[in-house]
Amino acid sequence: MAIELKKPSRRQLLVAGGIAGGGLLLGVAVSGPSRRGLADKLAAEDGERFVTTWLKISPDNIVTVYVPHSDMGQGPITALAMMAAEELEADWSLVRAEQAPAEKAFANEALGNRFLDGDAVPPMLKGVTAATWTKVAQFMNLQVTGGSMAVRYTGHHGMRVTGAAAKDMMVKAAAARWGVSPAQCTAAMSMVKGPNGQSATYGELAADAADYSPSAAPKLKAKKDYTIVGTARPRFDIPAKVDGSAMYGVDARPEGLLYAAVHLAPVFGSTVAAYDASEILTRRGVKQVVDFPGGVAVIADNYWRAKEAALALDVTFDTKGNEAISSETIFAGHDAALDAGKSDKDFETGNAPRAFEGATRVVEASYRVPYLAHACMEPMNCTIWIRDGKADVWLGVQDPLGARARIAEIAGLDFDNVTLHPMLLGGGFGRRIPIRAGFFDFPSEIDFAAIIAKEVAAPVKLIYTREDDIQHDAYRIASTSRLRAALDDKGMPLAWENRYVHKDEPGEAPHIPYNVPNQSIRFVEIDNPVPRGPWRSVAHTQHTFFNESFVDELAHEAGQDPFEYRRAMLKDQPRHLAVLELAAEKAGWGRPLPAGHAHGIAIQQSFGSIVAEVAEISIVEPGEVKVHRVTAAVDCGEVIHPDTAAQQVESAIIYGLTAALFGEISIEGGAVAQSNFTDYEMLKLADTPEIAVHFIESGAPLGGLGEPGTPPISAAVANAVFSLTGQRIRQLPLKNHKLSPASGQFARAAD
């Protein structure tokens, strides 16, 4: 059975672009039933009322916050509930939080503020804008978790506003009940008090409050008045994860469950030519065999039997000639495209060609990074039960509404006849986003599960082996960057030139924060069948390694300290400068280190946050890099949950360290050479460095935290390697380089 991957229509593209516009709807739709009414039907029990789309209040005064984001371990449920509760003036002990259902009533229009700040919309137009974006979000089935958007968009433009609007509705309901002005009433600790000693709990007022229309632009609290945000509240998700009761996608066990394992084509772009299932079908527990694009599935009564049968299945694939592709041919293609001299504009300012003509010195270097897999700890899985024209789906995914729509499309069912039960995710990092324009452009395990479920008269769970996952991912793209800089007589850059392969998201990732008057940044594109997809911090991981390593090269060429060199170029960027200086100060930059140790530094702004990191490393036998300590300084504007914020930066650093030290997906014969954690190594707990995270609350617009800690670490470590050994790392991972612990403090000796 073939899957037709349709390009988005012009209308869909226009609507998708419209999501960028921002706005918020609190319980009111452009037309048709109230969203609050729909929410009541979907998630309210007797006596409970949705006061706004995201807030449900029960008669016993319990406030439940419905969060339109998935939990991958990053803690959005608690942080977003804190933001709503703060503005609601709720008693935190009475607040609960859940992931929102995969229903259109809970589509997340607040993500529209990703591209247009809600404050840019005139107040008199916010209601209209809100209604428009709600319809857009519902049309696009928008419920995405990724891009570090939860707190900075849903939190700021969604939860804060919905909490403040709900508080106002409570006050109005109380004032009407008591026959007084709302200005005479105050709300605090989930209760409204009146001017003459009256009081009523939110639970008592909820039914009356739900009759009011929530404001699209309520007044928000000043930071000085916060009592919940900025404090380290216990996370809602931790107890269940500790006692084992938390349910992940792989834990779904509907009655009568069968299991599917797959035999996938190793060479990318292949199709099934033939297979012989006669012997397989005689095996104990094997029920049937189903083919799909690029592979064949075996369905059995337990996973072990399905997996062993799938491995033994004799399948012939048509490789379409893609077996000739390798990492060498791919990188040769990069070089050929760059050598051709034709490129597309990314960013231009000043007159770089003229600056190079008059330069005292020109420094140039070429950098390269490989493909990377996501390596989520929970294997890819999807459980579907199709019967009587309807489907139930159990799935941990980064876009539940999008996945529901995708499964409906593949299974040939109406959207309303598919029920998706959102589960926890054992890691995502961009891997668990269903196909949508701009991301995955190939059939995934979700598609395959839907095809298989159509053919099986029982609930069926598809599970990827670790080998399936490593060898059939949507990879962070391999890239090459050629950099040149023209220096003046003091060694400072007059011009910056970058020619790189593949323009990826976000678009600003290749740009530099430094004061260089003449810049020319351009890119080339090449095609190959290796699937590509979003990876934690997306293009920032490649370009921060390229740019921040090259800045270190320029500092060395100028005979200057890498930290001081950056300081000089950031004098007009006060936020960057403050972050850089804090990281250096906390790391003890310039102070003596233990013998055989060295520091490296790097900085990057991504997803609205600025992060500088200093890595302290040594070289241990047999020439391996040992990272002892990482010091991070972060300006994310404002810290919502201090513990979770620090944990997110720590996690991002560890994820980036794994990539810098070991991460490499290499292509041989059109297929991935690596297969499991034996040859796609992860950073182990014993080798994880001490990590210190320091925050600057600058008052800037909220930035993300799930991803910005990843980009600087590879450059910081590589720059420390140069400081210690004199060996410049221009290609990752570090495991591929022979390093000598005896080569000395090269940069310091040079100074």
Side-chain angles (χ1 to χ4, degrees), residues 596-645:
H597 287 221
H599 273 155
I601 194 168
I603 187 171
Q604 177 73 345
Q605 179 171 358
S606 61
F607 306 97
S609 294
I610 303 170
V611 180
E613 292 169 4
V614 176
E616 180 183 336
I617 67 111
S618 68
I619 307 298
V620 297
E621 296 293 350
E624 296 176 350
V625 176
K626 171 70 175 178
V627 183
H628 297 274
R629 180 181 174 88
V630 176
T631 304
V634 182
D635 179 354
C636 58
E638 179 183 349
V639 176
I640 304 302
H641 190 295
D643 287 353
T644 301

Side-chain angles (χ1 to χ4, degrees), residues 502-572:
H502 294 306
K503 179 69 174 175
D504 205 352
E505 295 296 329
E508 71 274 10
H511 305 169
I512 58 174
Y514 301 108
N515 182 23
V516 181
N518 304 287
Q519 298 180 37
S520 175
I521 303 174
R522 302 179 69 87
F523 65 95
V524 300
E525 295 288 355
I526 63 171
D527 292 326
N528 66 64
V530 180
R532 58 190 284 188
W535 191 91
R536 193 171 189 172
S537 78
V538 210
H540 284 288
T541 58
Q542 299 102 315
H543 288 285
T544 306
F545 171 65
F546 300 155
N547 293 342
E548 284 297 287
S549 297
F550 191 57
V551 168
D552 248 53
E553 294 208 43
L554 301 184
H556 179 71
E557 179 70 20
Q560 297 186 32
D561 175 86
F563 162 60
E564 296 293 349
Y565 194 76
R566 287 174 171 82
R567 284 186 72 196
M569 291 194 293
L570 291 173
K571 61 184 180 181
D572 297 326

Side-chain angles (χ1 to χ4, degrees), residues 323-496:
E323 69 276 9
I325 296 170
S326 67
S327 292
E328 288 73 19
T329 64
I330 290 170
F331 284 125
H334 289 193
D335 292 336
L338 291 168
D339 289 342
K342 295 181 180 179
S343 59
D344 294 315
K345 177 182 175 181
D346 182 331
F347 177 77
E348 303 272 353
T349 188
N351 191 329
R354 182 176 298 174
F356 276 104
E357 291 175 1
T360 303
R361 284 175 286 178
V362 173
V363 180
E364 54 187 271
S366 181
Y367 287 84
R368 183 163 286 168
V369 292
Y371 291 102
L372 292 178
H374 295 80
C376 305
M377 291 297 105
E378 180 195 15
M380 297 298 109
N381 63 87
C382 182
T383 302
I384 305 180
W385 189 0
I386 298 177
R387 64 203 186 281
D388 302 325
K390 297 183 178 181
D392 279 280
V393 181
W394 293 265
L395 179 63
V397 68
Q398 290 178 244
D399 185 1
L401 266 179
R404 180 181 168 187
R406 182 64 181 171
I407 289 167
E409 177 187 354
I410 298 299
L413 301 173
D414 290 339
F415 178 88
D416 291 339
N417 287 337
V418 176
T419 300
L420 190 143
H421 307 277
M423 312 288 279
L424 295 176
L425 292 71
F429 317 116
R431 175 65 175 90
R432 299 181 194 262
I433 297 178
I435 296 173
R436 78 171 49 236
F439 291 119
F440 296 151
D441 56 359
F442 78 112
S444 72
E445 66 280 350
I446 295 175
D447 299 301
F448 303 155
I451 295 171
I452 294 164
K454 286 182 65 178
E455 306 300 322
V456 179
V460 60
K461 177 188 293 184
L462 170 62
I463 306 177
Y464 271 21
T465 64
R466 182 62 60 189
E467 289 78 8
D468 292 335
D469 185 33
I470 296 295
Q471 297 181 330
H472 298 276
D473 200 344
Y475 304 93
R476 188 202 76 171
I477 201 160
S479 185
T480 299
S481 175
R482 292 181 181 177
L483 291 154
R484 284 203 309 156
L487 306 184
D488 64 18
D489 55 4
K490 295 181 180 179
M492 303 306 293
L494 292 169
W496 176 281

